[in-house]
């Protein structure tokens, strides 16, 4: 059976509906940076997702090619994730989606090296005739964080974030969001197939002890 990150690392992908504190280790990603409304048809965000999946599935299916990755085992491509922020804003103004900066990412198995990533990008470019130069190999160490499962529309995330903030205040922590540590979302539902009120999204914020 293929390795499934959501099942093997439930503490990072399947939190409950109450805030909880986790210590997130180093993770490598395929990453594309951009800015703008993620809902824009044909926009930069939708294009970024296509880039990510083109490389992710090339790596996943690499065992069927002549290119062999050391330590490879079959796995399920992890869910889409995103790091988000707005310039000169404390929190997020959901009504102004054009102001969002984002790093759209898909997790890589630990056995995938930067060399393997470059092979996959070049291979996918030739096979699919796409420009995948925007994709980068990104390493993130989130460290101490608070997270929760948000069920509902993306525009309603503010209510869930308020619950997280209250939890931190009551337990002697505070948010530590800055240029290096960002608001993080993990998308467990396909928005094309799931009604907004039923979508599951992990919301994670970096924190520090007061």
């Amino acid at each position: 059976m293929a390795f499934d990150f959501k099942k093997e690392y439930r503490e990072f992908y399947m939190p409950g509906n109450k805030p909880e504190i986790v210590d997130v280790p180093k993770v490598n990603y395929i990453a594309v940076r951009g800015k703008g409304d993620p809902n824009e048809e044909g926009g930069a965000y939708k294009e970024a997702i296509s880039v990510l999946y083109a490389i992710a599935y090339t790596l996943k299916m690499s065992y069927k090619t002549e290119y062999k990755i050391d330590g490879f085992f079959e796995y399920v491509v992890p869910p889409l994730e995103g790091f988000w922020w707005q310039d000169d804003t404390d929190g997020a103004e959901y009504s102004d989606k054009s102001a969002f900066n984002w790093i759209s990412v898909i997790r890589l198995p630990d056995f995938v090296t930067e060399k393997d990533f470059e092979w996959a990008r070049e291979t996918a470019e030739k096979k699919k005739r796409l420009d995948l130069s925007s994709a980068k190999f990104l390493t993130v160490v989130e460290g101490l964080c608070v997270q929760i499962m948000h069920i509902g529309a993306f525009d309603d995330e503010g209510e869930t974030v308020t619950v997280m903030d209250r939890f931190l205040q009551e337990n002697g922590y505070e948010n530590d969001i800055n240029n290096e540590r960002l608001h993080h979302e993990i998308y467990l539902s396909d928005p094309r197939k799931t009604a907004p009120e039923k979508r599951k999204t992990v919301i994670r914020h970096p924190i520090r002890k007061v």
Side-chain angles (χ1 to χ4, degrees), residues 73-108:
F73 53 77
E74 291 190 54
Y75 62 96
V76 177
V77 171
L80 180 69
E81 307 182 34
F83 296 93
W84 298 83
W85 72 99
Q86 289 176 324
D87 297 326
D88 305 317
T89 301
D90 183 14
E93 178 52 63
Y94 293 96
S95 63
D96 186 10
K97 294 182 175 61
S98 64
F100 275 117
N101 298 284
W102 40 264
I103 308 172
S104 191
V105 301
I106 292 178
R107 180 176 183 161
L108 290 169

Side-chain angles (χ1 to χ4, degrees), residues 63-176:
Y63 71 98
K64 293 189 174 182
T65 73
E66 295 181 357
Y67 186 88
K68 303 303 177 185
I69 298 176
D70 289 343
F72 181 93
F73 53 77
E74 291 190 54
Y75 62 96
V76 177
V77 171
L80 180 69
E81 307 182 34
F83 296 93
W84 298 83
W85 72 99
Q86 289 176 324
D87 297 326
D88 305 317
T89 301
D90 183 14
E93 178 52 63
Y94 293 96
S95 63
D96 186 10
K97 294 182 175 61
S98 64
F100 275 117
N101 298 284
W102 40 264
I103 308 172
S104 191
V105 301
I106 292 178
R107 180 176 183 161
L108 290 169
D110 291 342
F111 57 72
V112 174
T113 66
E114 194 160 359
K115 175 175 173 282
D116 300 325
F117 164 80
E118 293 294 347
W119 167 84
R121 183 170 64 178
E122 292 173 7
T123 300
E125 278 190 328
K126 293 175 183 177
K127 185 176 181 179
K128 299 180 180 297
R129 297 182 180 179
L130 296 172
D131 178 7
L132 306 181
S133 60
S134 59
K136 308 297 179 185
F137 184 94
L138 176 68
T139 300
V140 177
V141 183
E142 287 189 273
L144 195 65
C145 293
V146 62
Q147 65 181 19
I148 192 172
M149 182 71 77
H150 170 74
I151 300 178
F154 299 135
D155 286 349
D156 295 334
E157 287 183 5
E159 299 171 13
T160 302
V161 169
T162 298
V163 173
M164 296 167 69
D165 290 345
R166 187 181 305 120
F167 170 83
L168 294 179
Q169 187 175 20
E170 292 172 352
N171 288 275
Y173 293 90
E174 64 184 5
N175 286 304
D176 189 28

Side-chain angles (χ1 to χ4, degrees), residues 5-25:
F5 287 88
K6 297 191 300 299
K7 295 179 180 178
E8 299 296 332
Y9 298 118
R10 292 182 64 86
E11 67 270 32
F12 302 125
Y13 290 96
M14 301 298 292
N17 59 2
K18 295 182 180 179
E20 56 188 51
I21 293 174
V22 290
D23 194 354
V24 186

